[in-house]
Amino acid sequence: MSRTISIEPVTRIEGHARITLQLAETGEVEDANFHLTQFRGFEKFCEGRPYREMPALTARTCGICPVSHLLSSNKACDDLLAVTIPPTAEKLRRIMNFGQLVQSHALSFFHLSSPDLLLGWDSDPVKRNIFGVMQTDPQLAKNGIRLRQIGQSIIEILGGKKIHPTWVVPGGVSDALTEEKRQAMLAMMPDALRIAKETYAFFKTLVPKFKDEAEHFGTKPTMFMSLVTPKGNLEHYDGLLRIKDAQGRIVEDMVPPRDYQRIIGEAVEDYSYMKFPYYKPIGYPKGIYRVGPLARLNNADACGTPFADVALAEFHMLQEDSGPITSSFHYHYARLVEIIFALESIERLLKDPDILNPRIRARARGNRSEGIGVSEAPRGTLMHHYKIDDHGLISWVDLIIATGHNNLAMNAGIKQVADAYVDGNDVKEGMLNRVEAVIRCYDPCLSCASHAFGQMP
Ligand code: NI
Ligand code: MG
């Protein structure tokens, strides 16, 4: 008889999800689905609110990613105001975005995924968590907690609080940086960079041990999407959209975020509250692409900071051919490279004399009826798109969340891992942990990604 294995809840991710594996009579895996089981629905209940409330409202989507929503939402509001924000405000927003990237990537790597990497996929699930890491390698655990704390501190120093700061506002930021705050952030950088570089060096020694997982964790060909700078370099706050295909050819380049609807469509399925974005010119469901750290590093011609550029060159050596790095297992590697890039960038921005400039906010009323804001959240490209009526009230919202872009790829990934490791005639816990672990590579944030509405089940 055919049967279904259900993995519920999927552990060590942000939010609530279930994985189902359909097994044939022979014990082979016929199908695998990743179900998002929670529902948030911000796209619908924000309708009717004044657009200036959107940054504070949408930041509540999630306690891990409030800064990412704050930034994309304010960028959509800048667009509604039809203003260019002052250069210093942009630099300050960038610092906060990098603080968010550091805290979120540290959480993913140390707290959520290092138990698998350090203790092994088949280790006792009772110990396979951050507490088990503390027992096995106390320094690694301490480093992870410290690095996340530094990322959070950057957000707190700039925004006044760690979670849901309101310092970023339409047109810029609300308060200029003081010398005291600048020094407080600079003082943390040497410790942060030491931890980031040590962790990177340590992880490089682990990678060869996971050759088998790297070969089976979501290696099916997909495209990659991310923002890049106008020069084609790594970008997290602004920039233009680039899509590379599975062979590394650029299929879309320098696409203004305003034109995203030409290239990205959204589908819904009856088994999940998460939408299924796809690349429009190829169509659904074949137009599969990935976003996030792996995509950003595959797409970037260079990082632009010294140590991160060395690490980027090493990243490209993970695979023998010259194409994009295809295994989703290498999201971990890419995350560590990005932490280094973020810290080097924070230091550079803080040392810019212009960073203390008090001109930080452009003031205007609503000058457009439609606004689009796109930035790179830790997990990938985050799109906020609003329409407002003549009274400045929101009439329509679309949020395309980083985790959503990866939905098709995550579903393909669990199928591949299940095919490689799950024997339906003798199911072991470690097999199912590997199926969960491919999801952890993407570091999905499900609270953020649960807005399917309209044709939803
Ligand atoms: Ni989130
Ligand atoms: Mg929608």
Side-chain angles (χ1 to χ4, degrees):
M1 255 178 58
S2 64
R3 61 203 169 95
T4 302
I5 296 177
S6 184
I7 305 173
E8 184 174 21
V10 180
T11 56
R12 284 183 278 129
I13 58 166
E14 198 294 318
H16 308 286
R18 175 174 77 235
I19 291 170
T20 52
L21 307 176
Q22 276 88 44
L23 302 178
E25 276 180 49
T26 53
E28 269 173 52
V29 178
E30 273 184 335
D31 199 8
N33 284 323
F34 182 60
H35 311 254
L36 180 52
T37 54
Q38 65 182 122
F39 181 63
R40 305 284 275 169
F42 274 68
E43 289 181 348
K44 205 65 196 168
F45 68 68
C46 287
E47 287 177 7
R49 303 309 307 172
Y51 71 88
R52 284 178 184 275
E53 288 183 2
M54 290 302 279
L57 283 175
T58 55
R60 264 71 185 176
T61 310
C62 177
I64 307 290
C65 323
V67 169
S68 304
H69 289 287
L70 190 67
L71 288 169
S72 281
S73 183
N74 272 296
K75 290 185 78 183
C77 290
D78 299 340
D79 198 26
L80 288 169
L81 303 182
V83 297
T84 302
I85 71 166
T88 302
E90 184 184 316
K91 289 172 192 165
L92 289 167
R93 285 184 181 185
R94 283 179 184 275
I95 295 174
M96 185 179 255
N97 197 33
F98 285 131
Q100 159 71 2
L101 185 119
V102 169
Q103 76 85 6
S104 177
H105 279 6
L107 176 74
S108 169
F109 182 80
F110 292 96
H111 301 64
L112 304 181
S113 279
S114 81
D116 293 325
L117 304 170
L118 198 66
L119 309 172
W121 317 94
D122 304 298
S123 61
D124 180 1
V126 173
K127 290 191 178 155
R128 211 172 49 212
N129 50 49
I130 189 69
F131 301 105
V133 174
M134 283 175 191
Q135 284 174 353
T136 312
D137 189 342
Q139 193 55 44
L140 184 78
K142 270 187 209 166
N143 279 348
I145 290 165
R146 175 67 182 140
L147 193 59
R148 178 153 197 250
Q149 181 192 38
I150 291 172
Q152 293 280 51
S153 296
I154 301 274
I155 296 166
E156 188 176 21
I157 290 168
L158 290 172
K161 50 182 184 172
K162 288 190 194 105
I163 299 174
H164 306 316
T166 52
W167 167 77
V168 185
V169 291
V173 297
S174 64
D175 298 288
L177 185 64
T178 62
E179 180 60 24
E180 192 191 357
K181 287 182 176 181
R182 173 162 82 155
Q183 291 305 334
M185 289 187 276
L186 276 173
M188 295 185 291
M189 288 302 109
D191 200 23
L193 271 164
R194 175 192 59 79
I195 292 171
K197 288 176 184 177
E198 275 178 22
T199 308
Y200 175 69
F202 167 70
F203 187 63
K204 278 199 290 187
T205 67
L206 283 188
V207 171
K209 294 182 190 166
F210 299 116
K211 206 166 172 288
D212 196 58
E213 279 77 10
E215 273 170 26
H216 295 104
F217 272 34
T219 55
K220 295 272 159 68
T222 72
M223 292 175 287
F224 297 95
M225 182 177 80
S226 69
L227 291 171
V228 290
T229 70
K231 280 184 181 170
N233 288 356
L234 186 61
E235 171 65 65
H236 293 88
Y237 168 75
D238 205 21
L240 301 153
L241 292 165
R242 172 178 279 181
I243 296 181
K244 276 189 183 178
D245 69 12
Q247 286 73 44
R249 289 176 297 233
I250 293 175
V251 292
E252 298 283 352
D253 208 15
M254 302 300 144
V255 178
R258 170 170 290 285
D259 299 339
Y260 82 91
Q261 284 178 314
R262 182 177 65 75
I263 54 174
I264 302 300
E266 296 174 278
V268 289
E269 294 282 0
D270 63 6
Y271 63 83
S272 182
Y273 286 130
M274 180 155 55
K275 293 184 284 192
F276 290 76
Y278 59 94
Y279 177 56
K280 259 189 192 168
I282 292 182
Y284 183 79
K286 283 196 171 159
I288 176 172
Y289 60 94
R290 283 177 277 182
V291 299
L294 187 76
R296 287 190 290 252
L297 291 198
N298 274 330
N299 280 355
D301 298 335
C303 291
T305 62
F307 198 92
D309 271 327
V310 173
L312 179 66
E314 290 171 343
F315 167 80
H316 283 296
M317 291 190 292
L318 288 170
Q319 215 169 277
E320 277 169 20
D321 60 81
S322 61
I325 302 302
T326 51
S327 174
S328 290
F329 180 74
H330 295 315
Y331 266 98
H332 297 305
Y333 198 107
R335 226 165 257 131
L336 295 176
V337 176
E338 282 202 326
I339 291 175
I340 293 168
F341 173 72
L343 293 169
E344 287 184 314
S345 300
I346 290 172
E347 205 165 34
R348 181 181 285 179
L349 286 161
L350 286 171
K351 286 180 176 168
D352 182 340
D354 187 50
I355 203 72
L356 298 175
N357 190 329
R359 294 173 192 272
I360 46 160
R361 185 170 186 180
R363 290 178 192 273
R365 295 178 179 220
N367 289 309
R368 279 199 189 108
S369 58
E370 199 167 340
I372 294 171
V374 179
S375 67
E376 288 287 331
R379 295 161 177 84
T381 317
L382 172 63
M383 299 168 158
H384 279 223
H385 186 176
Y386 311 148
K387 292 179 187 172
I388 57 172
D389 66 16
D390 293 341
H391 306 288
L393 302 179
I394 295 282
S395 58
W396 179 89
V397 179
D398 196 25
L399 306 173
I400 308 184
I401 311 296
T403 296
H405 293 293
N406 283 331
N407 201 359
L408 282 170
M410 287 190 289
N411 274 280
I414 54 173
K415 175 73 167 62
Q416 189 188 9
V417 174
D419 281 341
Y421 292 102
V422 176
D423 174 2
N425 299 313
D426 183 17
V427 178
K428 293 196 169 70
E429 196 276 339
M431 298 173 180
L432 302 183
N433 184 38
R434 282 179 175 78
V435 178
E436 291 185 63
V438 72
I439 293 293
R440 285 180 210 123
C441 291
Y442 291 88
D443 184 27
C445 186
L446 303 176
S447 301
C448 281
S450 170
H451 305 289
F453 204 86
Q455 310 149 51
M456 73 173 211

